[in-house]
Structures are given as structure tokens and as C-alpha cells.
Amino acid sequence: MESSDLEHYFLSNWAEIIKRCEKSLEPDDLEQVQLITSWDVLQNEVFDPVGKESREPIPFEISLIKPTLGHFHQFTHIFESQLAPGLQAKFFWGVVGVLLKLIARDSQALSKIPRMLKSLGYKAEAFKRNYSASSLENLDQVKEVCFDIQIQLVEFFTTLIKSMRGEEGGIQQNKRDGRDHRHGQEGPWSSFQHEFIKTNQALFETLARIEDLAPARSPPPDQSSSSDIAAVTQHGAVVKLPTKIYQSFFNRTDTLLEKIDQVLGRDGSTTSFRSIALFGIGGIGKSSIAARYIETKIEEKKYDAIFWVYDCKWLVVYDNVEDIKVLMPYWPEASHGKAIITTRNHTLVYKFATSGLEITSWDAKTGSDFLLFLLKDKIGRDIQAEGVSAAELADKLSGHALGISHMAGLIQRRSWSITEFMRIYLKDPRRLHKTELQAVWDVSFGTLEKDSRVFLGVASFLVPDNMAQELFEITEDENLPEDLEFCTDEFGFSKAIEPLLTLALIKRDKDARAFSCHRMVQRQFRCFLPLEERQQAFNNAVVLVYHAFPKQSDATNKNQFYQQWTQCNRCLQHVLYLKENFKEERRHSKKFMTSWLFCELLKDCQRYLYEINALRELEEACEANLLAVEMLGDQEQAIDIKASTLSHQASMFESIGKVEQAIERNTKGYNMRLEEKPLKGGLLGGFEQNLAYNYNTANQHKTALTWFE
């Protein structure tokens, strides 16, 4: 095609594309699109708005994609200046600007769409690199590629705007209808993802046309940059990895990168093929560490290529590989080179990699430092209070890197101090976790079969760091819920936990025979479960702990636990954790109920807490039990537990010198026992004796004598 014909083709078809996209937009959106006519205008509207005091702060996630928008700017410059006179990218910047404004008002969109934009921005940057390397004889074909990419991007952005506005069965209608697409039904975000995958694939195919045309060549030495992937090659090697520089990379650098070097070889000169798998739970920082390692190798110029190159030294990263079948077709058969895998699936360590390196959470101190590092000058004036709150949040999130990053974004977007955020967070943690972080986990959770799901449900309500396997080792003759029958069979039990271990949702210490589950996994799985299933998971956990906790009624105990302190202590933290989770669930939903078994478990635990003089924990357990017992339908059971709890409260008050309150609780419990039919003489006698001691302590000796008699 002649140059003049090609230019006419670009101008006429671009006008038709714009016309079609404009027609599909709502009038208000179209008006806004037409106001944002360039990269400079978009920057003023989104990143540097006039009258900043009256505007909400830029969301953290959007501020992080400004470099990506810079890639689009360079791409549209080529589009406007090289394809045809008069060709303009005004509509492109208009739809991007409107899209960013819509994203800023939707927390779910903020957790997903910026990632999509980053991925598309890498394609725009890849085109620019190949454009610079193209020859004159292929110039028309390169221009066609540029034009096709521009159309694909504009159509995708327009589709996102329409969906976010509720058209074509988009997000807003689904929110109003209250549809839940978590369990296999396709929801609006699935449609978004499908559209993104389709656009991404189309861009890959379009870029492949120019990559086949562009000769591989290295830049002049004086133009090389340590932050430019294109500068990594000095010998004609082709690099296909998108640039992703982690400006906010925090901690870990020295020790972990050193360990990777120990496996792969520090200088990349070893001739044998070597590989390492970085494994751990989602969001822990595996991909960030792999990316930082690549950046150091670029700076050191240790490899001729990064991604996939034959006949020279190379390094390839397989990011977020969760299935052996996915990796198998792409695993190198060459006998030299290096590979890094990032994965939640620790079995890949043994199937493919030369070695494995587990990436673990930060401790609370490092996690709080990371939070303060992200917020920088956005924290409150009371530095000490902010530091305490940062440490508390890091502890609640167990040093989970992505969790802390998401919460930092929320704090920044809503202009909170960390102290303000923690006050809101503690009232209802689930609401913040569900909106900000659920997408990270839903895929893994959704693949679990019934028994694995039941086990993780139980584990999400127990102490995360030490769940003894013996807790789950129960016999068939015990009265168990049907859900827990797999625990009675060793093989069935091991089959249930295998996928959880594979996906790093739990860990097992084979020497201690104990499981652990990261707090973030626990909380996100509780958010993932619908109320009915969450209720059953809590009840299952209660059953297991109840069976393990000694009983006051045992003939050997005689209503005391002194001979069973060791076993009581093993179970204590699980009981207290269940108690706290019960209170949180009740705050979240009044439909969350309790069972007689839970109240009985608390009652037994109350006795043990009194014996070991843990009075603060005893007070909290009694308060929780009095709340829980109100939900019991059986009044006979309720009276028995209430009276016992009042007796434990009275013993606690007497121990701390509040004898009047002890008398009040014992009197109330005694009167409740009098209502029981038949009367329980031994328990009544216990109240009478306790009241006698109470009155004696209060120097009311005549009244005390009456009660003794």
C-alpha cells in the first residue's frame, strides 16, 4: 500500500473507531472524555489537580501506575507523529482519564484494574523498543502494528468504563442484586478478566508481528541504563521481559539475594543448568524478590539475556506458577542457563528446581517499619502513637507484605492516621480484608475439595502457630459431626491436608507433629466462607477442642483440674482464640450463633483459669460465656452454665478484694440453682459455702455463720 493510501486508511478508520466508542458511552462520560485531550491535561486532572485542598488524595494504587502511563505517553507520541498528519490520540487520553476517576471511587476496582493497566503499559513499552530497532523497509508494517495496538487499547478502556457504569450487565447491577459469584458462577469481575485476557493475547499476537521484523541489536554503550531491561544485552541477545522496577522494594535484599546466588552461581558463569523455587503463601513477596534479583543482575551485567535465549548465558523467571502441568511445556531442556520459579506450590521445588527457598512473613517490627516506609510523611503528628499502631497492625497481619501494602493504600486514600485506621479496623477487620485482599486468595480457596475446605475452616478458628495433630486424631465412636469423619481415617486425613500443604495455605512440622496457618490465610478464608459454612467451621473447631480439654465432671478430677494442668494448658490458647473469634463474628453478624458445647468448653476453661490465677482471662471468658448462653434454646442447660459462670466470677472478685460483687454473683447463682428441678444438692451446697466465706471476708460474721449452718 502506498504511503498516502496508508495514511488515509489510518485517518478514516481511526475516526470510525472513535465514533463507535463515543456512541457507546453515557453522555456524562463522553463530556468528561472530551475535556481530557492529552497526557498533560490528564496529569493536571488526576495527579496535579487545581485546588488540592478540596480534592480527595490520589489513591495509592493509582499513584503507583504513573510510570505506566508514561509508557502510554511515549507510545501515543509515535502514534500521533509517525502514522499520518492530523492523527490525534485525544480520545485515548480521555477514556484513560475517565477510567482512572471511576477506579478511584471503587475499592474493588482499585485492587484489580491498575494491575491490568500495568500489564498493558508493558506492551506499549515493548512496542517502543521494537519500533526504535525497526528498519526503514519494514516501517509501514510497524506503523500498522502501532495502529492496531492503539485500537485494542481504546476499545478495552471503553469497555471497562461501560461495565463500571453498569451497562452490559456490568459490576454495579451485580452489586445491587447482591449476587455472589464466588463459587463458580461468572460475575462481572470474571467478565473483566476474560476481556483483559482476550485483549492481552491480542496485543501479544500484534507485538509478535513487529518482533519478527525488528533485528536484535544492542544500544550504544553510552545509552545503557541499569533500570532499562533493553540495556542488559551487549552481544545481540533478545530480551522479552517487560521492565518492572520495584522502587519501593523493602528489606530482605542482602540475605535472600545472597541465598539465590548461592544456588544459581554468583557470576552466572557455571555451565550446568541451575534453578531455584521461591515458595510461600500468596502476597508474601516472592515475585518482588525475583524482580529485584533480576535488576541486580542487569546492573551487574552478568547475563547476556533474561527470559529465553539459546547459545549464551541466560536467566528466566517463571512467575506465580501453581500447577506442574503449566510449567512442564516451557521448562528448558538445555544443559546450561538459570531459572527462578515463584510459586505457592512447594512441590515444584522437588519436581523441577535444583533447590528451594521459602519466603516467610516479616516479624511485627519489620512489618511496622514497612508500613511507615510506605506512608512516609502521610502519618499523624503523634509519632509515638503512630508507631504503636503500626506495630499493632503489622502484628494483626503477621507481617504479610501484600496485606500491609493494601492497608497502607487504604490509609493513604482516606487520609487517616494509622491510629485512626486501627480503631476502625479493630471494630470490624473482616470488612477491610474482604474489600481489599480477597482477590489474592479466592482462586486458591475455590479449588479446595470438601475435606480440605473443612480442615482449613477449622484451622482458621484455632491458634495459628501451633495446632497439634493430636487435636484432630479422634476415634470413630466419638460423637462427631459428619464433616469431621475424615479425621478418623489416617489416609483420608492426609489426603485432605495435601492440597493445603501444596498451596502453602498451611504448614506442618513433622517433628513436632503440629500444623500452622498464617493469620492472613485464616482471616481471608473466614471472609471467603458464607455465614452458614463459617458457622459450621466454628462449631467443628469447638468439637475438636472440647474433646481434647479435660472435663470437671470426670471422676478423677472431682470438679478440679490440678492433675490435668498439662493437658489444659495445651488446649487453653485454642479456647481463648475461639472466644475472641466468637466475639468478632457476633460483632459482624448477629446471625452467628453458638452451641451448648461451646458454653461447656468455656465453663471448663473458666475453672482452669481460676486455678492458675489467670484472673484477667477468667473475667473475659465469663463475659463471653454469659453472652453466648443467651443464645441457647434449652433453658435447663442455660441455667446450669449461667450459675457456674456466676460462681467463677464471684471467686475472681473475691480474689481481687471486691467481696460485695462476689456476694452479688454468688447470690444470683444460688437463686438460679434453687429454680432447678430436681435440686442439685451438691452445687447448692457449694454456693452456700462460698457465700459463707464471702460474708466472713466482708466481716459480716453472723451472716457467714448462717450460711455455714
Side-chain angles (χ1 to χ4, degrees), residues 643-662:
S644 295
T645 299
L646 289 168
S647 175
H648 291 137
Q649 280 189 321
S651 299
M652 175 197 66
F653 282 127
E654 185 177 36
S655 297
I656 61 177
K658 296 183 178 181
V659 68
E660 295 300 329
Q661 294 183 47

Side-chain angles (χ1 to χ4, degrees), residues 109-166:
L110 274 171
S111 68
K112 300 174 183 291
I113 295 181
R115 297 181 187 178
M116 297 180 182
L117 294 179
K118 280 189 176 183
S119 178
L120 300 179
Y122 299 148
K123 310 301 183 300
E125 192 213 7
F127 170 82
K128 176 181 173 294
R129 284 202 311 270
N130 285 287
Y131 176 81
S132 300
S134 60
S135 60
L136 288 175
E137 63 262 26
N138 297 322
L139 191 57
D140 285 350
Q141 293 165 285
V142 174
K143 289 179 179 180
E144 290 175 21
V145 168
C146 180
F147 186 73
D148 290 345
I149 291 174
Q150 181 79 330
I151 292 174
Q152 290 159 356
L153 291 174
V154 163
E155 289 181 335
F156 177 67
F157 295 153
T158 304
T159 299
L160 287 186
I161 292 173
K162 290 191 297 181
S163 296
M164 292 194 69
R165 284 301 193 192

Side-chain angles (χ1 to χ4, degrees), residues 594-605:
T594 189
S595 63
W596 169 81
L597 212 61
F598 177 59
C599 296
E600 275 289 302
L601 177 60
L602 284 180
K603 186 182 78 172
D604 287 336
C605 184

